[in-house]
Amino acid sequence: MNARTDFSLEPELHPTLGNHHLDALEEETIFILREVAAAFERPALLFSGGKDSLVLLKCAEKAFGIGRIPYPLLMIDTGHNYPEVTDFRDLRAQQLGAKLIVRKVEDSMARGTVRLAHALESRNVHQSVTLLEAIEEFRFDALIGGARRDEEKARAKERIFSHRDGFGQWQPKAQRPELWTLFNTRLAPGEHFRVFPISNWTELDIWQYIEREQIALPQLYYTHRREVVERRGLLVPVTPLTPLREGEVAVTRDVRFRTVGDITCTCPVASLAGSAAEVVIETLAADVSERGATRMDDKTSDASMEKRKKDGYF
């Protein structure tokens, strides 16, 4: 995605773009959020402070009301997240009167259940271990996540109510059929569900909804100046966790984040979009998927996400 300099020149990209379909998407999401509350004893909502989970939280607010969301928010913190995002996470949970549970990969490292190959190894993949430990600690039977099918092909395979076995693993070939709004929520002891109420949304839907509902986001999602270096087609932020390599030279670019995650594997894109409306225009013109344009961890192999999901990843 290339930076745009004059958004007034772009209305031809969406001369008839409407947002009435958002009502149907919102209605479906609210239905699923209420179904989880009705069908499970100990659900939790995965909340990172990112745009998708903020949209999910907005729908939960509409489903139940401020101060009445019937399940806690859960964040698995690698310790390498952008502080602007974790600060926003805490603020939003406080505003809604929601219980926020944070479990840290560093605690799993201290217990010896996570071992890094070297000090600068990305902790992102190791979140699966900490997440499964949190599920066991709180005996969660359903975890609501903000994944969307258009993000990545492994996520496109998943059902809205996605079963996990007693080891927390996903079996792609043993998924339960979903017809209309008929969800099979039956569980055996030790099993749980991952539930994805915004599976049917696209990145464009998310940004149109953010614009329509005036949802506040961490500033990282909008254009700002940042030191980056180009590697394998990605703009890698220059940080203490992702330092320059020998021979590399940093450049300062106008960038924004399409997705926000662990610093060690999430990259910004060149952009001058400073509002949700301008991001909608950019998204209409995008020809690379959100994760394809921003994630180093998805480039390790064509099946990297599927393998991580089988191991318990989000």
Side-chain angles (χ1 to χ4, degrees), residues 127-149:
Q127 290 180 94
S128 304
V129 174
T130 309
L131 175 62
L132 294 176
E133 290 173 347
I135 291 170
E136 183 175 1
E137 176 185 355
F138 293 98
R139 295 189 297 133
F140 290 130
D141 53 4
L143 290 176
I144 306 163
R148 309 187 319 269
R149 289 195 174 108

Side-chain angles (χ1 to χ4, degrees), residues 132 163-171 192 309-312:
L132 294 176
H163 178 263
R164 294 296 189 272
D165 64 20
F167 298 99
Q169 294 180 326
W170 177 51
Q171 304 294 342
H192 71 276
K309 289 182 77 68
K310 288 178 180 176
D311 291 339

Side-chain angles (χ1 to χ4, degrees), residues 1 4 10-15 17 203-204 208 277-287:
M1 178 183 293
R4 296 179 181 278
E10 306 293 351
E12 70 275 9
L13 285 172
H14 60 106
L17 183 64
E203 183 184 11
L204 180 61
Q208 284 189 277
E278 291 176 348
V279 175
V280 167
I281 293 172
E282 277 198 349
T283 306
L284 279 168
D287 55 7

Side-chain angles (χ1 to χ4, degrees), residues 20-77:
H20 296 301
H21 67 292
L22 297 179
D23 293 332
L25 290 172
E26 179 188 76
E27 181 179 347
E28 179 186 59
T29 298
I30 288 174
F31 171 81
I32 294 167
L33 288 169
R34 289 174 173 166
E35 182 73 6
V36 171
F40 296 96
E41 294 182 9
R42 290 175 295 278
L45 191 153
L46 293 166
F47 180 61
S48 65
K51 69 180 191 311
D52 296 326
S53 60
L54 284 164
V55 164
L56 199 52
L57 199 59
K58 181 67 177 180
C59 291
E61 179 185 343
K62 290 192 176 188
F64 305 107
I66 293 176
R68 300 178 61 186
I69 296 175
Y71 21 74
L73 312 182
L74 173 64
M75 162 82 173
I76 305 300
D77 192 341

Side-chain angles (χ1 to χ4, degrees), residues 82 235 237 257 259-268 294-296:
Y82 287 97
L235 298 179
F257 285 85
T259 181
V260 172
D262 190 279
I263 293 172
T264 61
C265 62
T266 310
C267 299
T294 64
R295 298 298 293 248
M296 287 183 275

Side-chain angles (χ1 to χ4, degrees), residues 290-309:
E290 179 180 320
R291 293 188 71 95
T294 64
R295 298 298 293 248
M296 287 183 275
D297 51 342
D298 289 349
K299 291 183 178 295
T300 54
S301 78
D302 287 342
S304 55
M305 172 62 86
E306 182 162 328
K307 181 181 184 308
R308 274 179 282 154
K309 289 182 77 68

